[in-house]
Amino acid sequence: MNPAISVIIPYYNGAKTIGQTLKSVCKQTFGDCEIIIVYDCTPNDAFASIFETTEQRVKILRSEENSGPSRARNVGIQQASGKLICFLDADDLWHADYLQKVNLGFQQDLNADVLCSRGYVFTGQRLTRPLNNALGVFKQELIWSNQIGCPSGVAFRAEILKTVKFDEELRLYEDYLLYTQLADCNFRFTDNYFFYRVEGQNSTTAYKQKFEVNQKLLLKKKLDYDELGTGE
C-alpha cells in the first residue's frame, strides 16, 4: 500500500546537519510516509556512515554526478509513491506535527493543490507571511517576488508535479520559478511551520557569484514564461 506522503530530501555536502534533519522527519507524529534521500554526489563525503539507520521508511537514491538541487528533487519526484509530496532541505527542520498538519490541511480543503507553511530561521525570525488567497492578488504578488519561501515549507498534491518540474539549469531560485509556473493552482497558507537554517557560506564571494548568475538566468526564464501568456 502506498504511503500518504513522500518526503524528498536532496543531499549535498550536508554531513553536519543531515542527522538532525532526518531525525526531525522520523519523529513526526504522522508516520504514514516514505523518506527519499537523493544523494547528489558530494565529494569526499562519508556517505555510508551518515545514513546508517534502521528506519525502514528511508530510501536512498544515488546520483552518478553532482547535478544540483533541481535534478535531485526531480529524481525524488519520479520515485515517489505518496499522494502528497513534501520537500525538506538537508539542513532544515520540521516541527514534530508538521506532516500531521499537512495531511489534515489537504483533507480539509479538497481544492488545495499546494500547501504553504511559515518558516523561521533558527533565531526565530519569520521568513514568510500569509497572502491574500484570492487568485488574482496572489498571482500578481508572486510574479514580482517569492512570497512563499523555500521548498522545506511547501507541500504538493503529487499529480501537480507530474507535468511541471524544477528547472535543472538553475541551482538557486529553482523553487521560485516552479511557484510562478504553478501560479494558477490553488495555493493555501497554514499556521504550520518549519525551521530554516542560515549558514555563513551565503556571504562568500563564490556564493555571491552563483547568486548573480542564477538571478540573471531566472529573470530571462520568467520573461520567456510571461511571453507565452501563462504568467500574466
Side-chain angles (χ1 to χ4, degrees), residues 72-85:
R73 293 192 188 104
N74 288 339
V75 168
I77 292 169
Q78 292 171 0
Q79 297 298 317
S81 57
K83 294 180 180 179
L84 306 174
I85 293 180

Side-chain angles (χ1 to χ4, degrees), residues 147-161:
Q147 301 289 346
I148 296 175
C150 75
S152 294
V154 185
F156 303 81
R157 291 197 188 275
E159 60 266 24
I160 296 299
L161 297 176

Side-chain angles (χ1 to χ4, degrees), residues 158-189:
E159 60 266 24
I160 296 299
L161 297 176
K162 289 182 179 179
T163 56
V164 179
K165 305 296 184 185
F166 288 94
D167 191 305
E168 296 181 10
E169 273 193 276
L170 289 172
R171 296 204 174 207
L172 293 173
Y173 300 118
E174 74 287 344
D175 49 348
Y176 178 29
L177 183 61
L178 181 78
Y179 305 151
T180 63
Q181 292 171 330
L182 293 174
D184 286 323
C185 292
N186 293 318
F187 283 73
R188 298 293 185 265
F189 296 84

